[in-house]
Amino acid sequence: MAIRCVASRKTLAGLKETSSRLLGFRGVQTFTLPDLPYDYGALEPAISGEIMQIHHQKHHQAYVTNYNNALEQLDQAVNKGDASTVVKLQSAIKFNGGGHVNHSIFWKNLAPVNEGGGEPPKGSLGSAIDTHFGSPEGLVKKMSAEGAAVQGSGWVWLGLDKELKKLVVDTTANQDPLVTKGGSLVPLVGIDVWEHAYYLQYKNVRPEYLKNVWKVINWKYASEVYEKECN
Amino acid sequence: MYDATRLPKSRAIHKSQNTDSTGVCSPHLSLKLELQFKRMAASSAVTANYVLKPPPYALDALEPHMSKQTLEFHWGKHHRAYVENLKKQVLGTELEGKPLEHIIHSTYNNGELLPAFNNAAQAWNHEFFWESMKPGGGGKPSGELLALLERDFTSYEKFYEEFNAAAATQFGAGWAWLAYANDKLKVVKTPNAVNPLVLGSFPLLTIDVWEHAYYLDFQNRRPDYIKTFMTNLVSWEAVSARLEAAKAASSSSS
């Protein structure tokens, strides 16, 4: 019996994108909203399904859409040699590109409890955390305190300084990616402390959100990133 | 609590050669404002004036445009926390007992913010915000305010467009303002707790665009919140009164 190769929707989409790049329909690679690897309600009760849906479908989507628009405008400005427009677009690129980068990491930093969310870090990352912070609890305490202290909007990060070969905790304002705090910093865990990340559920009590979010942090993913960077 | 007579005299602003087009204070101007604040502080009978003043309307009075729940959290939790935390923060320091505007000015520190700035400015900003709204508000202003808006923006619609754009594009947390400086109205947007006082102009109107201001009622839909604010909430009476005070402060001598 002949086995027919059926093109899946994913394959067709991939072909379409490749062909449009080859034909030069777009000078710029466009970005799309990544799917969540779990259902919106799967992180409850730590993060409500309502928040996850709005956060993903509205906020992250808006960053993607606006990033694509900014890149399109940038491409045109570069081709025209319009330097002042190129410069003017930098903040939109930073805001929206940063928003896309940060949220793409964030969805991977989270996992349902029955898929390992909240399980403490093991292996080489676990050891490194013990070395640098005394214990996972020590790290959590530090990150929660720094996250609570962010004024306005931003993120709190656990990062690896590739050059100095050590773990760092740092915060960034607005949608600045961690790399804006140091070129050798690799984000391992980021926690969104913009009010949209928790307000519908925790209202003004950001510390309570920070206490609960650890129950769904995906340390397996952070370990994978860490091990990859260390080798 | 917003006492417009305690605003800096405009002579300081007019005489300065060093404000740029956004009205940002030069160090020279800052010194003049600092002297003004000191004079105001000396003449003021009020010492510890960090009070959580209730809005000039009931917490449910802005419904359905701004919910009672939003007021309960925004005023009752956020604004209250800024006031309480400010009191704790200045206790036992040289800032203790100083008027709020003085604390704002000195902790702004020409942009290198000192710790108490956030609480002090946010306490001020929020009281100003409640008083910028009223039940049955919104729509178009009239009289001299409208005339000045038409003079400085060519039309009310153009002002609306500019104010809307400022509020919609202030990335992250912040505020959009109508402000007055050098006899001109202008729209300004500021991040986090910054306000026009520290930028050398008189605030006349503000909209809070921190997410906590609109998330319960509008979620991510900030443009809808801004439209509702302009259509149903703005107190043009408050804005007009502030404009009169700003002009009086500007034109009075010594």
PDB file of all heavy atoms in Angstrom, chain B residues 12-13 16-30 33 105 108-111 179-182 186 188-191 194-202:
ATOM      1  N   ALA B  12      10.187  83.226  38.149  1.00  0.00           N
ATOM      2  CA  ALA B  12      11.339  82.316  38.102  1.00  0.00           C
ATOM      3  C   ALA B  12      11.408  81.643  36.742  1.00  0.00           C
ATOM      4  O   ALA B  12      12.453  81.537  36.139  1.00  0.00           O
ATOM      5  CB  ALA B  12      11.237  81.291  39.206  1.00  0.00           C
ATOM      6  N   ILE B  13      10.249  81.223  36.229  1.00  0.00           N
ATOM      7  CA  ILE B  13      10.241  80.508  34.960  1.00  0.00           C
ATOM      8  C   ILE B  13      10.553  81.456  33.806  1.00  0.00           C
ATOM      9  O   ILE B  13      11.361  81.156  32.947  1.00  0.00           O
ATOM     10  CB  ILE B  13       8.876  79.821  34.748  1.00  0.00           C
ATOM     11  CG1 ILE B  13       8.680  78.731  35.805  1.00  0.00           C
ATOM     12  CG2 ILE B  13       8.784  79.224  33.350  1.00  0.00           C
ATOM     13  CD1 ILE B  13       7.295  78.157  35.866  1.00  0.00           C
ATOM     14  N   SER B  16      14.195  82.492  33.471  1.00  0.00           N
ATOM     15  CA  SER B  16      15.210  81.472  33.182  1.00  0.00           C
ATOM     16  C   SER B  16      15.530  81.422  31.699  1.00  0.00           C
ATOM     17  O   SER B  16      14.654  81.443  30.855  1.00  0.00           O
ATOM     18  CB  SER B  16      14.709  80.114  33.640  1.00  0.00           C
ATOM     19  OG  SER B  16      15.573  79.110  33.155  1.00  0.00           O
ATOM     20  N   GLN B  17      16.783  81.369  31.406  1.00  0.00           N
ATOM     21  CA  GLN B  17      17.191  81.196  30.009  1.00  0.00           C
ATOM     22  C   GLN B  17      17.326  79.716  29.693  1.00  0.00           C
ATOM     23  O   GLN B  17      17.645  79.351  28.588  1.00  0.00           O
ATOM     24  CB  GLN B  17      18.557  81.867  29.781  1.00  0.00           C
ATOM     25  CG  GLN B  17      18.587  83.341  30.136  1.00  0.00           C
ATOM     26  CD  GLN B  17      17.653  84.137  29.263  1.00  0.00           C
ATOM     27  OE1 GLN B  17      17.646  83.982  28.057  1.00  0.00           O
ATOM     28  NE2 GLN B  17      16.847  84.990  29.867  1.00  0.00           N
ATOM     29  N   ASN B  18      17.141  78.922  30.699  1.00  0.00           N
ATOM     30  CA  ASN B  18      17.610  77.545  30.568  1.00  0.00           C
ATOM     31  C   ASN B  18      16.536  76.482  30.532  1.00  0.00           C
ATOM     32  O   ASN B  18      16.833  75.318  30.675  1.00  0.00           O
ATOM     33  CB  ASN B  18      18.565  77.221  31.735  1.00  0.00           C
ATOM     34  CG  ASN B  18      19.753  78.140  31.694  1.00  0.00           C
ATOM     35  OD1 ASN B  18      20.200  78.524  30.624  1.00  0.00           O
ATOM     36  ND2 ASN B  18      20.230  78.542  32.847  1.00  0.00           N
ATOM     37  N   THR B  19      15.271  76.863  30.357  1.00  0.00           N
ATOM     38  CA  THR B  19      14.278  75.802  30.166  1.00  0.00           C
ATOM     39  C   THR B  19      14.270  75.447  28.695  1.00  0.00           C
ATOM     40  O   THR B  19      14.283  76.303  27.833  1.00  0.00           O
ATOM     41  CB  THR B  19      12.866  76.245  30.553  1.00  0.00           C
ATOM     42  OG1 THR B  19      12.612  77.522  29.988  1.00  0.00           O
ATOM     43  CG2 THR B  19      12.700  76.301  32.053  1.00  0.00           C
ATOM     44  N   ASP B  20      14.210  74.164  28.429  1.00  0.00           N
ATOM     45  CA  ASP B  20      14.101  73.763  27.031  1.00  0.00           C
ATOM     46  C   ASP B  20      12.629  73.724  26.649  1.00  0.00           C
ATOM     47  O   ASP B  20      11.760  74.109  27.426  1.00  0.00           O
ATOM     48  CB  ASP B  20      14.809  72.405  26.787  1.00  0.00           C
ATOM     49  CG  ASP B  20      14.119  71.262  27.516  1.00  0.00           C
ATOM     50  OD1 ASP B  20      12.968  71.443  27.972  1.00  0.00           O
ATOM     51  OD2 ASP B  20      14.715  70.201  27.630  1.00  0.00           O
ATOM     52  N   SER B  21      12.349  73.264  25.468  1.00  0.00           N
ATOM     53  CA  SER B  21      10.976  73.362  24.973  1.00  0.00           C
ATOM     54  C   SER B  21       9.985  72.529  25.774  1.00  0.00           C
ATOM     55  O   SER B  21       8.797  72.732  25.701  1.00  0.00           O
ATOM     56  CB  SER B  21      10.915  72.931  23.508  1.00  0.00           C
ATOM     57  OG  SER B  21      11.378  71.594  23.407  1.00  0.00           O
ATOM     58  N   THR B  22      10.475  71.578  26.537  1.00  0.00           N
ATOM     59  CA  THR B  22       9.529  70.806  27.342  1.00  0.00           C
ATOM     60  C   THR B  22       9.377  71.410  28.729  1.00  0.00           C
ATOM     61  O   THR B  22       8.722  70.843  29.582  1.00  0.00           O
ATOM     62  CB  THR B  22       9.997  69.346  27.501  1.00  0.00           C
ATOM     63  OG1 THR B  22      11.245  69.321  28.188  1.00  0.00           O
ATOM     64  CG2 THR B  22      10.169  68.681  26.144  1.00  0.00           C
ATOM     65  N   GLY B  23      10.034  72.539  28.984  1.00  0.00           N
ATOM     66  CA  GLY B  23       9.878  73.176  30.286  1.00  0.00           C
ATOM     67  C   GLY B  23      10.718  72.534  31.367  1.00  0.00           C
ATOM     68  O   GLY B  23      10.445  72.678  32.551  1.00  0.00           O
ATOM     69  N   VAL B  24      11.727  71.751  30.971  1.00  0.00           N
ATOM     70  CA  VAL B  24      12.559  71.088  31.980  1.00  0.00           C
ATOM     71  C   VAL B  24      13.407  72.112  32.715  1.00  0.00           C
ATOM     72  O   VAL B  24      13.985  73.003  32.103  1.00  0.00           O
ATOM     73  CB  VAL B  24      13.481  70.037  31.302  1.00  0.00           C
ATOM     74  CG1 VAL B  24      14.445  69.447  32.303  1.00  0.00           C
ATOM     75  CG2 VAL B  24      12.631  68.942  30.681  1.00  0.00           C
ATOM     76  N   CYS B  25      13.454  71.972  34.018  1.00  0.00           N
ATOM     77  CA  CYS B  25      14.213  72.904  34.846  1.00  0.00           C
ATOM     78  C   CYS B  25      15.697  72.771  34.614  1.00  0.00           C
ATOM     79  O   CYS B  25      16.234  71.686  34.561  1.00  0.00           O
ATOM     80  CB  CYS B  25      13.975  72.587  36.319  1.00  0.00           C
ATOM     81  SG  CYS B  25      12.355  73.058  36.892  1.00  0.00           S
ATOM     82  N   SER B  26      16.332  73.903  34.521  1.00  0.00           N
ATOM     83  CA  SER B  26      17.783  73.914  34.608  1.00  0.00           C
ATOM     84  C   SER B  26      18.136  74.018  36.086  1.00  0.00           C
ATOM     85  O   SER B  26      17.288  74.343  36.900  1.00  0.00           O
ATOM     86  CB  SER B  26      18.325  75.128  33.865  1.00  0.00           C
ATOM     87  OG  SER B  26      17.986  76.280  34.620  1.00  0.00           O
ATOM     88  N   PRO B  27      19.380  73.740  36.429  1.00  0.00           N
ATOM     89  CA  PRO B  27      19.791  73.895  37.837  1.00  0.00           C
ATOM     90  C   PRO B  27      19.524  75.313  38.327  1.00  0.00           C
ATOM     91  O   PRO B  27      19.130  75.523  39.468  1.00  0.00           O
ATOM     92  CB  PRO B  27      21.292  73.583  37.816  1.00  0.00           C
ATOM     93  CG  PRO B  27      21.461  72.722  36.618  1.00  0.00           C
ATOM     94  CD  PRO B  27      20.458  73.195  35.605  1.00  0.00           C
ATOM     95  N   HIS B  28      19.710  76.303  37.460  1.00  0.00           N
ATOM     96  CA  HIS B  28      19.489  77.698  37.813  1.00  0.00           C
ATOM     97  C   HIS B  28      18.029  77.911  38.201  1.00  0.00           C
ATOM     98  O   HIS B  28      17.700  78.492  39.224  1.00  0.00           O
ATOM     99  CB  HIS B  28      19.881  78.587  36.629  1.00  0.00           C
ATOM    100  CG  HIS B  28      19.617  80.043  36.843  1.00  0.00           C
ATOM    101  ND1 HIS B  28      20.312  80.801  37.745  1.00  0.00           N
ATOM    102  CD2 HIS B  28      18.709  80.865  36.291  1.00  0.00           C
ATOM    103  CE1 HIS B  28      19.856  82.050  37.719  1.00  0.00           C
ATOM    104  NE2 HIS B  28      18.895  82.127  36.853  1.00  0.00           N
ATOM    105  N   LEU B  29      17.133  77.376  37.389  1.00  0.00           N
ATOM    106  CA  LEU B  29      15.707  77.505  37.657  1.00  0.00           C
ATOM    107  C   LEU B  29      15.345  76.750  38.919  1.00  0.00           C
ATOM    108  O   LEU B  29      14.574  77.232  39.745  1.00  0.00           O
ATOM    109  CB  LEU B  29      14.915  76.948  36.462  1.00  0.00           C
ATOM    110  CG  LEU B  29      13.400  76.880  36.661  1.00  0.00           C
ATOM    111  CD1 LEU B  29      12.822  78.248  36.957  1.00  0.00           C
ATOM    112  CD2 LEU B  29      12.746  76.293  35.422  1.00  0.00           C
ATOM    113  N   SER B  30      15.971  75.575  39.106  1.00  0.00           N
ATOM    114  CA  SER B  30      15.665  74.772  40.286  1.00  0.00           C
ATOM    115  C   SER B  30      15.942  75.541  41.555  1.00  0.00           C
ATOM    116  O   SER B  30      15.190  75.461  42.512  1.00  0.00           O
ATOM    117  CB  SER B  30      16.503  73.495  40.282  1.00  0.00           C
ATOM    118  OG  SER B  30      16.066  72.660  39.249  1.00  0.00           O
ATOM    119  N   LEU B  33      13.115  77.912  42.189  1.00  0.00           N
ATOM    120  CA  LEU B  33      11.924  77.209  42.664  1.00  0.00           C
ATOM    121  C   LEU B  33      12.120  76.775  44.103  1.00  0.00           C
ATOM    122  O   LEU B  33      11.211  76.841  44.917  1.00  0.00           O
ATOM    123  CB  LEU B  33      11.632  75.992  41.781  1.00  0.00           C
ATOM    124  CG  LEU B  33      11.029  76.284  40.404  1.00  0.00           C
ATOM    125  CD1 LEU B  33      10.895  75.010  39.604  1.00  0.00           C
ATOM    126  CD2 LEU B  33       9.688  76.958  40.532  1.00  0.00           C
ATOM    127  N   HIS B 105       9.979  68.076  45.233  1.00  0.00           N
ATOM    128  CA  HIS B 105      11.017  68.815  44.533  1.00  0.00           C
ATOM    129  C   HIS B 105      12.418  68.358  44.939  1.00  0.00           C
ATOM    130  O   HIS B 105      13.275  68.092  44.083  1.00  0.00           O
ATOM    131  CB  HIS B 105      10.847  70.301  44.802  1.00  0.00           C
ATOM    132  CG  HIS B 105      11.808  71.144  44.051  1.00  0.00           C
ATOM    133  ND1 HIS B 105      11.692  71.383  42.698  1.00  0.00           N
ATOM    134  CD2 HIS B 105      12.933  71.772  44.453  1.00  0.00           C
ATOM    135  CE1 HIS B 105      12.706  72.136  42.309  1.00  0.00           C
ATOM    136  NE2 HIS B 105      13.470  72.391  43.353  1.00  0.00           N
ATOM    137  N   TYR B 108      13.187  64.742  43.842  1.00  0.00           N
ATOM    138  CA  TYR B 108      13.340  64.575  42.384  1.00  0.00           C
ATOM    139  C   TYR B 108      14.811  64.738  42.015  1.00  0.00           C
ATOM    140  O   TYR B 108      15.339  64.051  41.134  1.00  0.00           O
ATOM    141  CB  TYR B 108      12.470  65.567  41.618  1.00  0.00           C
ATOM    142  CG  TYR B 108      12.590  65.412  40.119  1.00  0.00           C
ATOM    143  CD1 TYR B 108      12.083  64.276  39.483  1.00  0.00           C
ATOM    144  CD2 TYR B 108      13.232  66.376  39.338  1.00  0.00           C
ATOM    145  CE1 TYR B 108      12.212  64.107  38.104  1.00  0.00           C
ATOM    146  CE2 TYR B 108      13.356  66.212  37.957  1.00  0.00           C
ATOM    147  CZ  TYR B 108      12.840  65.080  37.353  1.00  0.00           C
ATOM    148  OH  TYR B 108      12.968  64.919  35.985  1.00  0.00           O
ATOM    149  N   ASN B 109      15.449  65.663  42.724  1.00  0.00           N
ATOM    150  CA  ASN B 109      16.904  65.741  42.653  1.00  0.00           C
ATOM    151  C   ASN B 109      17.411  65.799  41.217  1.00  0.00           C
ATOM    152  O   ASN B 109      18.338  65.089  40.840  1.00  0.00           O
ATOM    153  CB  ASN B 109      17.503  64.523  43.391  1.00  0.00           C
ATOM    154  CG  ASN B 109      18.980  64.642  43.665  1.00  0.00           C
ATOM    155  OD1 ASN B 109      19.504  65.743  43.873  1.00  0.00           O
ATOM    156  ND2 ASN B 109      19.675  63.524  43.648  1.00  0.00           N
ATOM    157  N   ASN B 110      16.748  66.655  40.399  1.00  0.00           N
ATOM    158  CA  ASN B 110      17.138  66.817  38.998  1.00  0.00           C
ATOM    159  C   ASN B 110      17.171  65.515  38.210  1.00  0.00           C
ATOM    160  O   ASN B 110      17.974  65.361  37.289  1.00  0.00           O
ATOM    161  CB  ASN B 110      18.501  67.511  38.893  1.00  0.00           C
ATOM    162  CG  ASN B 110      18.397  68.972  39.271  1.00  0.00           C
ATOM    163  OD1 ASN B 110      17.507  69.674  38.831  1.00  0.00           O
ATOM    164  ND2 ASN B 110      19.301  69.418  40.134  1.00  0.00           N
ATOM    165  N   GLY B 111      16.301  64.572  38.578  1.00  0.00           N
ATOM    166  CA  GLY B 111      16.190  63.347  37.801  1.00  0.00           C
ATOM    167  C   GLY B 111      16.892  62.153  38.436  1.00  0.00           C
ATOM    168  O   GLY B 111      16.629  61.011  38.075  1.00  0.00           O
ATOM    169  N   ALA B 179      -0.735  70.842  30.931  1.00  0.00           N
ATOM    170  CA  ALA B 179       0.054  71.699  31.821  1.00  0.00           C
ATOM    171  C   ALA B 179       0.165  73.098  31.235  1.00  0.00           C
ATOM    172  O   ALA B 179      -0.114  73.322  30.051  1.00  0.00           O
ATOM    173  CB  ALA B 179       1.444  71.087  32.039  1.00  0.00           C
ATOM    174  N   TYR B 180       0.592  74.012  32.091  1.00  0.00           N
ATOM    175  CA  TYR B 180       0.664  75.423  31.711  1.00  0.00           C
ATOM    176  C   TYR B 180       2.049  75.943  32.090  1.00  0.00           C
ATOM    177  O   TYR B 180       2.499  75.772  33.227  1.00  0.00           O
ATOM    178  CB  TYR B 180      -0.410  76.184  32.478  1.00  0.00           C
ATOM    179  CG  TYR B 180      -0.404  77.687  32.310  1.00  0.00           C
ATOM    180  CD1 TYR B 180      -1.022  78.278  31.210  1.00  0.00           C
ATOM    181  CD2 TYR B 180       0.179  78.522  33.261  1.00  0.00           C
ATOM    182  CE1 TYR B 180      -1.048  79.661  31.062  1.00  0.00           C
ATOM    183  CE2 TYR B 180       0.162  79.907  33.117  1.00  0.00           C
ATOM    184  CZ  TYR B 180      -0.462  80.467  32.017  1.00  0.00           C
ATOM    185  OH  TYR B 180      -0.491  81.833  31.868  1.00  0.00           O
ATOM    186  N   ALA B 181       2.714  76.559  31.130  1.00  0.00           N
ATOM    187  CA  ALA B 181       4.014  77.174  31.411  1.00  0.00           C
ATOM    188  C   ALA B 181       4.277  78.242  30.371  1.00  0.00           C
ATOM    189  O   ALA B 181       3.911  78.079  29.202  1.00  0.00           O
ATOM    190  CB  ALA B 181       5.129  76.127  31.370  1.00  0.00           C
ATOM    191  N   ASN B 182       4.916  79.326  30.790  1.00  0.00           N
ATOM    192  CA  ASN B 182       5.245  80.426  29.872  1.00  0.00           C
ATOM    193  C   ASN B 182       4.026  80.854  29.079  1.00  0.00           C
ATOM    194  O   ASN B 182       4.089  81.051  27.864  1.00  0.00           O
ATOM    195  CB  ASN B 182       6.368  80.006  28.911  1.00  0.00           C
ATOM    196  CG  ASN B 182       7.632  79.636  29.649  1.00  0.00           C
ATOM    197  OD1 ASN B 182       7.927  80.178  30.707  1.00  0.00           O
ATOM    198  ND2 ASN B 182       8.361  78.685  29.104  1.00  0.00           N
ATOM    199  N   LYS B 186       0.151  72.988  27.248  1.00  0.00           N
ATOM    200  CA  LYS B 186       0.783  71.898  26.506  1.00  0.00           C
ATOM    201  C   LYS B 186       0.417  70.559  27.118  1.00  0.00           C
ATOM    202  O   LYS B 186       0.028  70.475  28.295  1.00  0.00           O
ATOM    203  CB  LYS B 186       2.295  72.077  26.496  1.00  0.00           C
ATOM    204  CG  LYS B 186       2.893  72.150  27.876  1.00  0.00           C
ATOM    205  CD  LYS B 186       4.379  72.391  27.827  1.00  0.00           C
ATOM    206  CE  LYS B 186       4.904  72.525  29.252  1.00  0.00           C
ATOM    207  NZ  LYS B 186       6.348  72.532  29.308  1.00  0.00           N
ATOM    208  N   VAL B 188       1.723  66.835  28.175  1.00  0.00           N
ATOM    209  CA  VAL B 188       2.973  66.225  28.632  1.00  0.00           C
ATOM    210  C   VAL B 188       2.665  64.795  29.070  1.00  0.00           C
ATOM    211  O   VAL B 188       1.589  64.547  29.639  1.00  0.00           O
ATOM    212  CB  VAL B 188       3.527  67.012  29.849  1.00  0.00           C
ATOM    213  CG1 VAL B 188       4.749  66.340  30.439  1.00  0.00           C
ATOM    214  CG2 VAL B 188       3.877  68.434  29.447  1.00  0.00           C
ATOM    215  N   LYS B 189       3.576  63.847  28.797  1.00  0.00           N
ATOM    216  CA  LYS B 189       3.415  62.529  29.404  1.00  0.00           C
ATOM    217  C   LYS B 189       4.638  62.236  30.256  1.00  0.00           C
ATOM    218  O   LYS B 189       5.751  62.659  29.923  1.00  0.00           O
ATOM    219  CB  LYS B 189       3.195  61.437  28.356  1.00  0.00           C
ATOM    220  CG  LYS B 189       4.311  61.228  27.383  1.00  0.00           C
ATOM    221  CD  LYS B 189       3.924  60.151  26.355  1.00  0.00           C
ATOM    222  CE  LYS B 189       5.084  59.923  25.389  1.00  0.00           C
ATOM    223  NZ  LYS B 189       4.773  58.959  24.326  1.00  0.00           N
ATOM    224  N   THR B 190       4.418  61.569  31.377  1.00  0.00           N
ATOM    225  CA  THR B 190       5.511  61.317  32.313  1.00  0.00           C
ATOM    226  C   THR B 190       5.510  59.859  32.744  1.00  0.00           C
ATOM    227  O   THR B 190       4.467  59.222  32.825  1.00  0.00           O
ATOM    228  CB  THR B 190       5.383  62.196  33.574  1.00  0.00           C
ATOM    229  OG1 THR B 190       4.117  61.941  34.204  1.00  0.00           O
ATOM    230  CG2 THR B 190       5.493  63.675  33.244  1.00  0.00           C
ATOM    231  N   PRO B 191       6.697  59.305  33.044  1.00  0.00           N
ATOM    232  CA  PRO B 191       6.776  57.913  33.497  1.00  0.00           C
ATOM    233  C   PRO B 191       6.625  57.791  35.009  1.00  0.00           C
ATOM    234  O   PRO B 191       6.988  58.707  35.755  1.00  0.00           O
ATOM    235  CB  PRO B 191       8.199  57.516  33.091  1.00  0.00           C
ATOM    236  CG  PRO B 191       8.975  58.790  33.175  1.00  0.00           C
ATOM    237  CD  PRO B 191       8.017  59.912  32.868  1.00  0.00           C
ATOM    238  N   VAL B 194       6.691  60.701  38.002  1.00  0.00           N
ATOM    239  CA  VAL B 194       7.094  62.053  37.615  1.00  0.00           C
ATOM    240  C   VAL B 194       5.874  62.908  37.265  1.00  0.00           C
ATOM    241  O   VAL B 194       4.896  62.407  36.703  1.00  0.00           O
ATOM    242  CB  VAL B 194       8.066  62.001  36.420  1.00  0.00           C
ATOM    243  CG1 VAL B 194       8.471  63.397  35.975  1.00  0.00           C
ATOM    244  CG2 VAL B 194       9.295  61.181  36.775  1.00  0.00           C
ATOM    245  N   ASN B 195       5.930  64.189  37.635  1.00  0.00           N
ATOM    246  CA  ASN B 195       4.813  65.088  37.309  1.00  0.00           C
ATOM    247  C   ASN B 195       5.345  66.439  36.845  1.00  0.00           C
ATOM    248  O   ASN B 195       6.536  66.722  36.990  1.00  0.00           O
ATOM    249  CB  ASN B 195       3.863  65.217  38.513  1.00  0.00           C
ATOM    250  CG  ASN B 195       4.509  65.862  39.722  1.00  0.00           C
ATOM    251  OD1 ASN B 195       5.384  66.718  39.601  1.00  0.00           O
ATOM    252  ND2 ASN B 195       4.081  65.472  40.899  1.00  0.00           N
ATOM    253  N   PRO B 196       4.483  67.292  36.256  1.00  0.00           N
ATOM    254  CA  PRO B 196       4.972  68.561  35.700  1.00  0.00           C
ATOM    255  C   PRO B 196       5.574  69.510  36.733  1.00  0.00           C
ATOM    256  O   PRO B 196       6.342  70.396  36.372  1.00  0.00           O
ATOM    257  CB  PRO B 196       3.717  69.177  35.071  1.00  0.00           C
ATOM    258  CG  PRO B 196       2.842  68.015  34.761  1.00  0.00           C
ATOM    259  CD  PRO B 196       3.091  67.044  35.872  1.00  0.00           C
ATOM    260  N   LEU B 197       5.256  69.366  38.025  1.00  0.00           N
ATOM    261  CA  LEU B 197       5.836  70.250  39.033  1.00  0.00           C
ATOM    262  C   LEU B 197       7.356  70.229  38.948  1.00  0.00           C
ATOM    263  O   LEU B 197       8.010  71.266  39.024  1.00  0.00           O
ATOM    264  CB  LEU B 197       5.438  69.814  40.448  1.00  0.00           C
ATOM    265  CG  LEU B 197       4.007  70.022  40.912  1.00  0.00           C
ATOM    266  CD1 LEU B 197       3.839  69.433  42.310  1.00  0.00           C
ATOM    267  CD2 LEU B 197       3.634  71.493  40.893  1.00  0.00           C
ATOM    268  N   VAL B 198       7.907  69.019  38.785  1.00  0.00           N
ATOM    269  CA  VAL B 198       9.365  68.908  38.764  1.00  0.00           C
ATOM    270  C   VAL B 198       9.944  69.270  37.401  1.00  0.00           C
ATOM    271  O   VAL B 198      11.158  69.361  37.253  1.00  0.00           O
ATOM    272  CB  VAL B 198       9.849  67.498  39.187  1.00  0.00           C
ATOM    273  CG1 VAL B 198       9.332  67.149  40.579  1.00  0.00           C
ATOM    274  CG2 VAL B 198       9.443  66.439  38.175  1.00  0.00           C
ATOM    275  N   LEU B 199       9.060  69.453  36.425  1.00  0.00           N
ATOM    276  CA  LEU B 199       9.517  69.824  35.088  1.00  0.00           C
ATOM    277  C   LEU B 199       9.300  71.308  34.835  1.00  0.00           C
ATOM    278  O   LEU B 199       9.451  71.783  33.714  1.00  0.00           O
ATOM    279  CB  LEU B 199       8.773  68.989  34.034  1.00  0.00           C
ATOM    280  CG  LEU B 199       8.923  67.470  34.169  1.00  0.00           C
ATOM    281  CD1 LEU B 199       8.104  66.762  33.098  1.00  0.00           C
ATOM    282  CD2 LEU B 199      10.385  67.051  34.070  1.00  0.00           C
ATOM    283  N   GLY B 200       8.917  72.047  35.858  1.00  0.00           N
ATOM    284  CA  GLY B 200       8.812  73.502  35.756  1.00  0.00           C
ATOM    285  C   GLY B 200       7.510  74.016  35.180  1.00  0.00           C
ATOM    286  O   GLY B 200       7.458  75.154  34.725  1.00  0.00           O
ATOM    287  N   SER B 201       6.451  73.207  35.176  1.00  0.00           N
ATOM    288  CA  SER B 201       5.171  73.747  34.695  1.00  0.00           C
ATOM    289  C   SER B 201       4.053  73.451  35.688  1.00  0.00           C
ATOM    290  O   SER B 201       4.215  72.660  36.611  1.00  0.00           O
ATOM    291  CB  SER B 201       4.836  73.217  33.299  1.00  0.00           C
ATOM    292  OG  SER B 201       5.026  71.842  33.210  1.00  0.00           O
ATOM    293  N   PHE B 202       2.924  74.135  35.504  1.00  0.00           N
ATOM    294  CA  PHE B 202       1.778  74.009  36.395  1.00  0.00           C
ATOM    295  C   PHE B 202       0.852  72.915  35.864  1.00  0.00           C
ATOM    296  O   PHE B 202       0.308  73.046  34.775  1.00  0.00           O
ATOM    297  CB  PHE B 202       0.974  75.318  36.413  1.00  0.00           C
ATOM    298  CG  PHE B 202       1.707  76.504  36.978  1.00  0.00           C
ATOM    299  CD1 PHE B 202       2.563  77.250  36.185  1.00  0.00           C
ATOM    300  CD2 PHE B 202       1.513  76.885  38.293  1.00  0.00           C
ATOM    301  CE1 PHE B 202       3.224  78.373  36.704  1.00  0.00           C
ATOM    302  CE2 PHE B 202       2.159  78.004  38.818  1.00  0.00           C
ATOM    303  CZ  PHE B 202       3.020  78.740  38.024  1.00  0.00           C
TER     304      PHE B 202
END
